[in-house]
Amino acid sequence: RGACLAEDGIYLLENSEALLLWAGRRADPAPLRAALGVVSVEALDGVACAEDALGTQLLRGEQTAYELSRLIAQVRSEQPSSCYLPLRVFRQGGPRESEFLLWLVEDPSSGLPLSFA
């Protein structure tokens, strides 16, 4: 589970249904605290509405929240269908991590080189 993701990494994935933010168990909690107001990676499980958490940190003037917000806006602007995608957060080993990992399976499309989708 999560073997291709760095345990100290934080990733953002757009899957046409949502924007998925995943944090490894050894990720630095500082950017998570600044962007989402959580004190640890484990605390991501308690983030019910990531958009609200991000908005609260933006109001507090957190630079990391601003940078994440800009990245999300850029992703949403690149595809018209992405503009209303919700932001969901996951952590390595968390109860909902499998929802994120499902999007990282190898795509064995016939006649195409194998790649991660």
Side-chain angles (χ1 to χ4, degrees), residues 56-67:
T56 298
Q57 294 305 97
L58 282 169
L59 290 173
R60 292 182 177 156
E62 291 288 350
Q63 182 64 29
T64 304
Y66 174 73
E67 291 168 6

Side-chain angles (χ1 to χ4, degrees), residues 77-100:
S77 72
E78 289 175 0
Q79 294 189 30
S81 62
S82 299
C83 66
Y84 297 109
L85 297 180
L87 175 63
R88 298 183 186 147
V89 294
F90 303 88
R91 69 172 177 90
Q92 186 176 22
R96 299 180 314 113
E97 181 188 26
S98 62
E99 293 175 43
F100 176 84

Side-chain angles (χ1 to χ4, degrees), residues 93-109:
R96 299 180 314 113
E97 181 188 26
S98 62
E99 293 175 43
F100 176 84
L101 295 178
L102 285 174
W103 293 101
L104 300 180
V105 296
E106 205 165 0
D107 182 4
S109 298

Side-chain angles (χ1 to χ4, degrees), residues 14-88:
E14 184 267 321
N15 68 3
S16 76
E17 293 180 10
L19 295 169
L20 311 175
L21 183 98
W22 181 91
R25 65 176 44 99
R26 293 193 178 122
D28 181 359
L32 297 172
R33 183 174 40 255
L36 300 171
V38 296
V39 296
S40 68
V41 173
E42 293 78 20
L44 288 173
D45 292 341
V47 177
C49 183
E51 299 278 355
D52 288 349
L54 180 60
T56 298
Q57 294 305 97
L58 282 169
L59 290 173
R60 292 182 177 156
E62 291 288 350
Q63 182 64 29
T64 304
Y66 174 73
E67 291 168 6
L68 177 58
S69 181
R70 280 189 43 199
L71 178 61
I72 289 169
Q74 179 180 344
V75 170
R76 286 176 172 163
S77 72
E78 289 175 0
Q79 294 189 30
S81 62
S82 299
C83 66
Y84 297 109
L85 297 180
L87 175 63
R88 298 183 186 147

